Structures are given as structure tokens and as C-alpha cells.
């Protein structure tokens, strides 16, 4: 087996679960993944998550905002994702400033080398501090993304879940790029 290829396909498959199907394995650690006959096989589906169409779009917008280092776009996506916002408690300038700070902290890093666990942890902390309540699906996606990246990281040379999800987001906005990707996979 080509371990880099397996790692890339594993992350690509997970990005597809989250962004394309909206039904994903929320605990994709190495004990729950088999490679059999060149196929990725997930087992133990005791913890799965679902994202509706709008949540998938918002999650994609969040990843795109990170890739573009766009804190306003990240803020907008988080607010669309929010299930409960007490408008009187949210200090929007402070919220945006904190997101700017997070984006700036990671801006010097290549998208493929961002520590996704630390990044997501900081974003979730800012939302909590700002009284922005996100749905449980965000926690499931975050947990799954962190776990799958940790699972695949030892096999990857220069990619990460963020770079692969970002590619998915961009391709979903460009139907010709998606068709080309599908043709390459056959």
C-alpha cells in the first residue's frame, strides 16, 4: 500500500462524508477504520453525525474562511451555524477581534500545517465566551475532524484535513473542477 495515498484518500473520504453526504463517522480513530481490498471501511458506527444542507454549506464556509484567512467570513459562518444567540450578550466587535486574533495566529502557517485541534478549540472557546451557542453537530464534526486528521497524519507528507476540505469547498463551487476530479478518480 502507498501510505500517503491511503492518508489522502482517508481525508478526502471524510471531507466527502461531511460536506457531500452530511452523514459522517464521528469517531474515526484507527481502531474504527480498516483498509480492505484497497477500500476504506469504517466499523463501529456507534457515534455518527448528521449535517443538513445549510449546516454543510456553513461548515464549508467556515473552512473556506480559514483557508482565505477571512475572520469576517468565519464570524458570519459561525453566526449562521449558531442555534442560539442572545443578541444583547454578544459583543460583535470583540467577537470579530478575537476571531481576527485566531486567524492572525494561524496566518503565518501553511494551511496544510495548521494544528486543527488547537484551532477548533480556540474557535469554540471564543463562541462560548461570546454567548454564541453552536449545535451539537459542530462538536461531532470537530471531534471527527480532529480524530481523522490524527489518524491520517502519520501517512501524509504535505496535506491536512483543512487543505483537503478546502479543496472540496472550492470544487463544489466550480462544477467543472468537480467533474474533472470525478473523472480522475475513475
Amino acid at each position: 500500500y502507498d501510505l500517503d495515498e491511503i492518508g489522502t484518500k482517508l481525508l478526502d473520504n471524510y471531507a466527502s462524508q461531511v460536506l457531500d453526504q452530511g452523514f459522517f463517522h464521528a469517531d474515526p480513530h484507527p481502531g474504527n477504520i480498516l483498509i480492505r481490498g484497497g477500500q476504506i471501511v469504517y466499523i463501529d458506527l456507534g457515534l455518527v453525525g448528521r449535517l443538513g444542507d445549510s449546516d454543510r454549506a456553513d461548515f464549508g464556509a467556515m473552512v473556506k474562511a480559514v483557508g482565505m484567512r477571512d475572520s469576517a467570513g468565519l464570524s458570519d459562518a459561525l453566526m449562521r451555524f449558531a442555534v442560539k444567540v442572545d443578541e444583547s450578550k454578544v459583543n460583535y466587535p470583540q467577537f470579530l477581534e478575537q476571531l481576527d486574533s485566531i486567524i492572525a495566529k494561524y496566518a503565518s502557517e501553511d494551511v496544510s500545517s495548521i494544528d486543527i485541534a488547537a484551532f477548533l478549540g480556540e474557535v469554540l472557546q471564543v463562541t462560548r465566551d461570546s454567548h454564541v451557542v453552536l449545535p451539537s453537530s459542530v462538536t461531532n464534526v470537530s471531534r471527527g475532524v480532529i480524530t481523522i486528521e490524527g489518524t491520517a497524519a502519520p501517512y501524509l507528507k504535505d496535506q491536512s484535513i483543512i487543505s483537503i476540505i478546502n479543496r472540496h469547498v472550492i470544487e463544489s463551487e466550480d462544477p467543472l473542477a468537480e467533474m474533472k476530479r470525478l473523472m480522475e478518480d475513475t
Side-chain angles (χ1 to χ4, degrees):
Y1 287 114
D2 177 341
L3 296 180
D4 187 56
E5 179 184 5
I6 290 172
T8 300
K9 286 184 175 181
L10 185 61
L11 293 181
D12 191 50
N13 174 274
Y14 200 75
S16 181
Q17 286 179 45
V18 171
L19 294 171
D20 300 335
Q21 284 83 41
F23 183 74
F24 57 93
H25 197 296
D27 193 21
H29 62 77
N32 284 340
I33 300 170
L34 304 173
I35 306 299
R36 185 178 292 152
Q39 300 278 333
I40 297 168
V41 180
Y42 291 88
I43 60 173
D44 186 5
L45 300 174
L47 189 56
V48 296
R50 288 190 183 278
L51 290 176
D53 292 342
S54 65
D55 285 346
R56 288 195 323 263
D58 291 339
F59 184 75
M62 286 171 53
V63 172
K64 183 178 179 184
V66 171
M68 304 291 288
R69 289 153 170 74
D70 175 10
S71 57
L74 180 57
S75 172
D76 290 345
L78 285 168
M79 295 306 285
R80 285 192 308 270
F81 233 145
V83 291
K84 186 173 136 189
V85 178
D86 184 344
E87 300 284 339
S88 67
K89 290 186 177 182
V90 178
N91 179 335
Y92 287 99
Q94 181 180 334
F95 183 53
L96 193 54
E97 182 180 315
Q98 289 173 323
L99 291 176
D100 274 338
S101 175
I102 292 171
I103 295 286
K105 178 178 177 180
Y106 293 94
S108 62
E109 297 181 36
D110 183 78
V111 172
S112 66
S113 66
I114 290 175
D115 179 344
I116 191 68
F119 176 79
L120 287 172
E122 288 181 42
V123 168
L124 293 175
Q125 185 62 50
V126 166
T127 58
R128 279 191 298 273
D129 292 347
S130 299
H131 306 284
V132 175
V133 179
L134 299 174
S136 62
S137 59
V138 173
T139 305
N140 284 337
V141 168
S142 297
R143 177 187 298 126
V145 165
I146 291 166
T147 304
I148 197 75
E149 185 169 56
T151 299
Y155 312 113
L156 297 172
K157 294 178 186 157
D158 60 355
Q159 294 193 70
S160 71
I161 191 73
I162 288 290
S163 61
I164 289 175
I165 291 177
N166 210 20
R167 188 187 81 226
H168 253 73
V169 169
I170 290 167
E171 287 177 355
S172 69
E173 294 172 349
D174 180 0
L176 293 177
E178 176 66 9
M179 283 182 16
K180 181 180 175 189
R181 186 180 73 79
L182 291 172
M183 288 174 55
E184 288 172 353
D185 288 345
T186 58

